[in-house]
Amino acid sequence: MKIFISQDARTWFQKEMEVSPGDTIRFYARYGGSSPIQQGFSLGMTKDTPFEPVVTVKVGEVLFFIEEVDEWYFDGHDLYVDVDHKLDELAYMYKKA
């Protein structure tokens, strides 16, 4: 499993979440919403400190990660993070690794 962050998503994080060098962003499974890979769950994200990361990627000076407790949600898929420009929000795509 891997995480891919587009340049547009990187800019979105800087603008919308005021992410700066040294920050860490966690992607996690949350109850409710919809997802193409887990019915009844959706993907959330927040500034957080890694505890037991199962996957990480550093983009610039920002670390993005997924904790071991949320690995089940991805079901062997890589996470691609981009921006939906019409909605001006993050867009998540999942591709089987």
Side-chain angles (χ1 to χ4, degrees):
M1 178 172 54
K2 296 178 182 174
I3 303 171
F4 299 91
I5 308 290
S6 73
Q7 181 60 45
D8 286 347
R10 182 179 176 184
T11 301
W12 186 95
F13 278 103
Q14 291 168 338
K15 177 182 165 191
E16 299 296 329
M17 290 187 65
E18 299 178 356
V19 171
S20 57
D23 284 344
T24 54
I25 303 293
R26 175 183 178 190
F27 294 103
Y28 63 94
R30 63 181 185 178
Y31 185 72
S34 65
S35 161
I37 57 174
Q38 295 293 345
Q39 186 174 356
F41 291 87
S42 59
L43 189 62
M45 53 81 190
T46 187
K47 288 183 182 179
D48 200 356
T49 302
F51 178 65
E52 292 181 331
V54 67
V55 62
T56 63
V57 64
K58 198 164 193 175
V59 180
E61 295 298 316
V62 177
L63 181 73
F64 297 87
F65 68 99
I66 297 166
E67 288 286 344
E68 186 176 345
V69 298
D70 295 309
E71 184 177 16
W72 65 270
Y73 173 85
F74 296 91
D75 189 32
H77 291 78
D78 291 336
L79 172 63
Y80 291 79
V81 183
D82 203 355
V83 174
D84 180 328
H85 291 286
K86 289 181 183 178
L87 300 174
D88 194 29
E89 64 184 31
L90 293 179
Y92 304 114
M93 293 160 282
Y94 307 91
K95 295 183 183 175
K96 197 71 167 172

